[in-house]
C-alpha cells in the first residue's frame, strides 16, 4: 500500500468513526440536511495519551447513554446500547471512566463492555430480583 | 427520641465498630445514649465490658450468677413462669467509657447481650404453639411488637436522646423485634459485591416485615425509616476510596450517607479491648485523627437524618 493510499484510508476511517459516534438526533439532522459536516485538519499527536475527549463524547452525550442503560430491561439490551454507542475502544474507555469503573487501557473491548453492562444494567437487575418488589422508601 | 437499629444481613461489615463509635461521639456531644446489644456474638457488649465481668457479674454465658442480659427479658416474655425484668434493671453500671466523656450531660448506657440469645427464637416460637391457624399471623405480629411496647415506654421515662440497637446479621425473631421497635434503620456496608447484595436482602425482609406487622398486629402501624447506608472499611488511595470500592458505592435505589469510615486495623482492632471507642482517643497522628474526623462527620449527618436534636 502506498503512503497516499494509507493516508486516504485513514481519512475515510476518521469519517466513518465520526458518523458512528454521532447521536441518533445528530444523525437524523444530518440525513435531513439540517446538520452540515465540517472537516478540519490538525497534526497528529504522538498517541492516545493526553488526547482530549472528542466533542461527540461530551458529558451530555455520555449522560444520555447512561440514561439509556438505566432504562434497559435486559443485559443483552445493555450490551447492544454500549456496542452501538461506542464501537471503538477509546470511546468505550472514556465512558467507563465517566462511570468511575475500574478499567485499564490494556483491557479488551469485550471486557470493558462487560464491566459497563454489569455495573449498570446487571447490578440494577440483581437488586430488583433480590428485593422482590420492596423499596427502601 | 429515636430508636435506631443498626443492621446488615452480611456479617463482618464493621457494624459493631460503627455502633460503638457513633454512640461514643453522640455521648461526647452531650447526648444520652442507650445501647442495646441484640447480637448473640456479644461484640458490642465486649466493646464496653470485659468478658470476665460479663460472665461473673452479668451471667452472660449462663454458667455463673443471675442473668442480667437482654436474654433474661426475652426469657420472661416467652415463659409465664419466669418474671420479666424491667429493661432498665439490665443496664450495666459504671462503664469505663464514662471516664472519657466530658461533663456535659452526655452518657452511654448498655444493655448487654448473652450467648444464648441465639436460641431465643425457639422459645418465642413456643408462644405460638396451640394458637389456632387463623390467629397465628396476629399472634406473630404481637410477638414482634414486644420490645416496641416495653422499650418505648421505658425510654420515654428515662429520657434518652437516642437508642441504638446492634442487631445480629440475620432476620430472626430477635431482629424482627428490633426492627419493629425502631424509628429508623442504619445499614453499615462494605463496598463490595456481596455486601451490597446484603443491603437488597435487608430491604426485602424489612418491607415484608413492616407489611406483615401492619396488617396483622391490630396495633398502630409502624413506619421505620431506612436512614441510609454507611460505607465502612474504606481503603483510601490518593485521598479517595480505591476505584474497586467506588464501583460499589454508587447506589441509586437507597439513601447513602456522604460520611464514610475508612479501614484501619491498627486502631480499630484493639480499641474494643480498652473499652474506649476510637473516636474518644486523642490521636496526634494525621491518619488516625482523620478517622476520628470521619466518625464526627458521621455523627453530625446521623443526627440530621434521624432527627436527633
Amino acid at each position: 500500500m502506498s503512503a497516499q493510499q494509507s493516508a486516504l484510508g485513514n481519512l475515510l476511517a476518521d469519517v466513518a468513526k465520526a458518523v458512528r459516534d454521532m447521536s441518533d438526533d445528530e444523525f437524523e439532522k444530518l440525513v435531513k440536511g439540517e446538520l452540515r459536516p465540517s472537516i478540519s485538519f490538525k497534526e497528529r499527536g504522538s498517541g492516545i495519551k493526553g488526547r482530549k475527549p472528542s466533542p461527540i463524547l461530551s458529558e451530555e452525550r455520555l449522560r444520555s447513554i447512561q440514561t439509556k442503560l438505566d432504562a434497559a430491561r435486559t443485559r443483552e439490551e445493555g450490551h447492544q446500547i454500549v456496542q452501538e454507542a461506542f464501537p471503538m475502544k477509546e470511546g468505550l474507555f472514556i465512558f467507563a471512566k465517566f462511570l468511575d469503573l475500574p478499567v485499564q487501557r490494556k483491557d479488551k473491548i469485550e471486557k470493558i463492555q462487560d464491566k459497563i453492562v454489569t455495573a449498570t444494567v446487571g447490578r440494577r437487575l440483581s437488586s430488583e430480583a433480590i428485593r422482590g418488589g420492596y423499596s427502601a422508601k | 427520641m429515636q430508636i435506631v437499629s443498626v443492621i446488615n444481613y452480611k456479617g463482618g461489615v464493621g457494624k459493631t465498630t460503627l455502633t460503638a463509635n457513633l454512640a461514643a461521639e453522640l455521648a461526647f456531644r452531650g447526648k444520652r445514649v442507650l445501647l442495646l446489644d441484640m447480637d448473640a456474638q456479644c461484640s458490642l457488649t465486649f466493646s464496653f465490658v470485659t468478658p470476665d465481668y460479663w460472665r461473673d457479674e452479668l451471667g452472660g454465658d449462663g454458667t455463673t450468677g443471675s442473668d442480667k442480659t437482654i436474654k433474661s427479658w426475652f426469657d420472661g416474655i416467652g415463659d409465664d413462669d419466669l418474671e420479666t425484668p424491667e429493661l432498665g434493671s439490665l443496664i450495666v453500671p459504671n462503664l469505663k467509657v464514662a471516664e472519657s466523656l466530658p461533663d456535659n450531660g452526655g452518657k452511654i448506657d448498655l444493655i448487654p447481650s448473652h450467648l444464648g440469645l441465639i436460641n431465643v427464637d425457639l422459645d418465642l416460637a413456643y408462644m405460638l404453639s396451640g394458637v389456632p391457624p387463623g390467629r397465628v399471623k396476629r399472634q406473630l405480629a404481637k410477638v414482634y411488637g414486644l420490645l416496641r411496647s416495653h422499650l418505648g415506654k421505658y425510654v420515654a421515662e428515662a429520657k434518652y436522646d437516642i437508642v441504638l440497637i446492634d442487631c445480629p446479621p440475620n432476620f430472626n425473631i430477635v431482629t424482627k423485634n428490633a426492627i419493629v421497635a425502631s424509628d429508623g434503620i442504619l445499614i453499615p456496608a462494605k463496598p463490595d459485591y456481596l455486601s451490597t447484595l446484603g443491603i437488597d436482602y435487608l430491604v426485602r425482609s424489612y418491607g415484608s416485615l413492616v407489611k406483615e406487622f401492619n396488617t396483622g398486629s391490630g396495633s398502630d402501624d409502624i413506619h421505620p425509616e431506612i436512614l441510609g447506608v454507611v460505607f465502612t472499611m474504606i481503603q483510601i488511595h490518593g485521598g479517595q476510596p480505591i476505584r474497586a470500592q467506588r464501583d460499589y458505592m454508587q447506589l441509586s435505589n437507597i439513601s447513602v450517607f456522604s460520611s464514610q469510615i475508612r479501614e484501619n486495623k491498627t486502631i480499630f482492632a484493639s480499641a474494643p479491648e480498652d473499652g474506649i471507642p476510637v473516636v474518644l482517643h486523642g490521636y496526634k497522628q494525621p491518619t488516625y485523627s482523620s478517622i476520628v474526623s470521619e466518625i464526627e462527620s458521621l455523627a453530625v449527618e446521623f443526627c440530621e437524618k434521624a432527627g436527633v436534636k
Side-chain angles (χ1 to χ4, degrees), chain A residues 66 70 75 96-103 115 118-120 123-124 126-137, chain B residues 193 196-197 199-209 211 225-226 240 243-244 246-248 250-255:
Chain A
Q66 188 179 19
D70 287 343
R75 288 176 177 79
K97 288 287 184 189
F98 172 76
L99 295 175
D100 205 12
L101 299 179
V103 291
K115 279 194 176 176
T118 298
T120 52
R123 216 160 275 166
R124 175 165 47 80
S126 296
S127 178
E128 287 173 2
I130 294 172
R131 289 191 179 196
Y134 289 102
S135 77
K137 304 296 178 192
Chain B
Y193 177 57
T196 49
L197 289 188
I199 295 169
D200 291 320
Y201 275 118
L202 180 62
V203 168
R204 181 185 188 130
S205 302
Y206 147 85
S208 175
L209 172 66
K211 186 178 174 184
E225 179 190 356
I226 293 183
Q240 61 177 339
R243 193 178 287 275
R246 293 209 306 272
D247 187 14
Y248 291 99
Q250 303 174 44
L251 304 178
S252 59
N253 51 10
I254 193 166
S255 172

Side-chain angles (χ1 to χ4, degrees), chain A residues 69-80:
Chain A
L69 288 171
D70 287 343
R73 295 310 307 165
T74 64
R75 288 176 177 79
E76 291 71 26
E77 194 181 330
H79 273 288
Q80 195 176 342

Side-chain angles (χ1 to χ4, degrees), chain B residues 26-301:
Chain B
L26 291 171
F28 188 83
R29 289 166 181 260
K31 306 299 181 200
R32 293 154 299 178
V33 184
L34 174 62
L35 288 174
L36 178 47
D37 189 0
M38 301 268 272
D39 190 342
Q41 294 181 69
C42 304
S43 297
L44 185 65
T45 301
F46 297 153
S47 298
F48 291 98
V49 301
T50 62
D52 46 321
Y53 178 87
W54 163 83
R55 179 194 62 201
D56 298 338
E57 304 297 328
L58 308 176
D61 71 343
T63 59
T64 55
S66 60
D67 183 1
K68 294 175 185 168
T69 73
I70 189 64
K71 180 175 176 292
S72 67
W73 182 83
F74 276 110
D75 287 344
I77 292 292
D79 188 337
D80 291 340
D81 296 332
L82 293 175
E83 188 181 344
T84 305
E86 279 291 320
L87 285 170
S89 70
L90 302 175
I91 291 173
V92 181
N94 306 319
L95 290 179
K96 182 183 172 188
V97 68
E99 298 167 11
S100 298
L101 295 173
D103 187 18
N104 60 0
K107 67 173 180 176
I108 296 178
D109 281 345
L110 169 73
I111 296 178
S113 188
H114 188 290
L115 291 180
L117 201 61
I118 204 161
N119 299 319
V120 162
D121 261 31
L122 272 179
D123 300 335
L124 292 177
Y126 284 135
M127 289 179 69
L128 301 174
S129 61
V131 176
R135 292 182 55 202
V136 166
K137 195 173 178 183
R138 176 175 287 257
Q139 188 66 16
L140 195 59
K142 278 187 177 173
V143 171
Y144 295 159
L146 293 174
L147 186 66
R148 174 183 166 85
S149 55
H150 284 72
L151 193 61
K153 174 172 167 264
Y154 173 74
V155 168
E157 289 169 359
K159 295 179 182 174
Y160 284 99
D161 297 303
I162 184 82
V163 180
L164 295 176
I165 306 176
D166 193 30
C167 295
N170 58 44
F171 220 74
N172 62 20
I173 293 183
V174 171
T175 310
K176 288 176 178 176
N177 258 275
I179 301 285
V180 169
S182 296
D183 303 304
I185 316 288
L186 184 65
I187 309 173
K190 273 171 71 177
D192 64 33
Y193 177 57
L194 293 179
S195 294
T196 49
L197 289 188
I199 295 169
D200 291 320
Y201 275 118
L202 180 62
V203 168
R204 181 185 188 130
S205 302
Y206 147 85
S208 175
L209 172 66
V210 170
K211 186 178 174 184
E212 186 180 5
F213 185 87
N214 287 346
T215 56
S217 71
S219 57
D220 292 343
D221 283 1
I222 58 167
H223 304 284
E225 179 190 356
I226 293 183
L227 300 175
V229 174
V230 179
F231 281 112
T232 57
M233 304 169 101
I234 302 291
Q235 289 177 256
I236 301 290
H237 181 73
Q240 61 177 339
I242 60 172
R243 193 178 287 275
Q245 289 191 320
R246 293 209 306 272
D247 187 14
Y248 291 99
M249 295 169 77
Q250 303 174 44
L251 304 178
S252 59
N253 51 10
I254 193 166
S255 172
V256 177
F257 278 69
S258 59
S259 311
Q260 303 157 358
I261 310 297
R262 74 180 72 184
E263 171 91 293
N264 191 296
K265 290 186 171 63
T266 307
I267 57 173
F268 281 127
S270 61
E273 198 166 14
D274 304 333
I276 311 291
V278 161
V279 73
L280 295 180
H281 288 265
Y283 299 110
K284 289 181 180 169
Q285 215 263 21
T287 302
Y288 302 161
S289 55
S290 293
I291 292 169
V292 170
S293 298
E294 288 168 358
I295 299 168
E296 291 169 346
S297 164
L298 171 67
V300 171
E301 194 176 356

Side-chain angles (χ1 to χ4, degrees), chain A residues 44-93:
Chain A
R44 280 192 182 279
S46 56
I48 290 176
K49 194 172 184 181
R51 189 192 292 180
K52 288 184 179 175
S54 156
I56 49 180
L57 285 182
S58 64
E59 189 172 327
E60 188 182 358
R61 167 103 172 107
L62 297 175
R63 281 199 194 289
S64 78
I65 304 299
Q66 188 179 19
T67 303
K68 283 184 181 178
L69 288 171
D70 287 343
R73 295 310 307 165
T74 64
R75 288 176 177 79
E76 291 71 26
E77 194 181 330
H79 273 288
Q80 195 176 342
I81 291 168
V82 172
Q83 282 164 6
E84 286 176 3
F86 308 108
M88 308 296 281
K89 183 173 173 179
E90 186 190 352
L92 200 61
F93 187 79

